[in-house]
Amino acid sequence: MAEHLYTAGVTWTGNRGEGTAHYRAYDRTWDVSTPGKPVVQCSNDPLLGGDPGLHNPEDLLIAALSACHMLWFLHLASDAGITVLGYEDAPEAVGETEANGASRFLRATLRPRIVLAEGADPARADAVHGEIHKVCFIARSVNFPVAIQARYSFRTKG
């Protein structure tokens, strides 16, 4: 077994001059930085006063879950001799907030639209989806159920 180190920088950018002197005195914004990569500007969920034009932690988590699933699907499909020509996903997650403000995800659904090479077997592609939860870093790390509702179309290579 090998350990991997992941790092990021998170810098709060929401000080309007008073810091956190009172609840409405500051913005819920920050930057995420990783050495050598573009900075991602973020904000709180709009339901909690955040900027709807910026990514929030919930956006980033569902996007990471979807991206990890996609990368493993491409890898395992290739290993299985399934040629993928296109892949798009529109994931959704359902969360809840308790009266005390504590929140969590209840479930997520990935809805990939996958273009397979003409003649590929969608049942085999579905079987690949069924294996991903065993290996995907993000899927193995979340504590809520993740459903997959894949749709396939076909195109000739080239």
Side-chain angles (χ1 to χ4, degrees):
M1 201 175 305
E3 288 188 4
H4 307 277
L5 177 64
Y6 299 93
T7 64
V10 175
T11 304
W12 175 49
T13 59
N15 184 350
R16 291 188 221 142
E18 294 183 75
T20 60
H22 55 88
Y23 186 73
R24 301 223 184 272
Y26 62 97
D27 291 332
R28 280 75 174 157
T29 57
W30 67 93
D31 290 342
V32 174
S33 60
T34 305
K37 299 176 185 177
V39 171
V40 178
Q41 294 178 330
C42 299
S43 183
N44 203 12
D45 185 311
L47 296 172
L48 302 170
D51 182 339
L54 299 177
H55 295 291
N56 60 55
E58 296 81 5
D59 295 335
L60 297 172
L61 179 60
I62 190 65
L65 179 65
S66 174
C68 188
H69 184 92
M70 176 192 67
L71 292 168
W72 272 106
F73 180 82
L74 297 173
H75 175 107
L76 296 176
S78 177
D79 287 352
I82 300 168
T83 301
V84 177
L85 302 174
Y87 190 111
E88 293 181 12
D89 193 7
E92 292 183 349
V94 175
E96 72 173 358
T97 302
E98 298 174 5
N100 67 1
S103 301
R104 67 180 179 149
F105 279 114
L106 297 174
R107 62 188 172 279
T109 304
L110 306 182
R111 293 185 171 88
R113 293 177 310 278
I114 301 166
V115 180
L116 300 175
E118 197 68 45
D121 180 1
R124 285 185 64 211
D126 279 340
V128 168
H129 285 292
E131 295 300 310
I132 294 171
H133 70 279
K134 296 176 185 173
V135 291
C136 171
F137 197 115
I138 307 300
R140 288 174 43 89
S141 300
V142 299
N143 67 351
F144 51 86
V146 178
I148 312 299
Q149 296 176 350
R151 292 183 301 166
Y152 304 101
S153 60
F154 301 90
R155 185 172 83 215
T156 57
K157 290 188 231 180

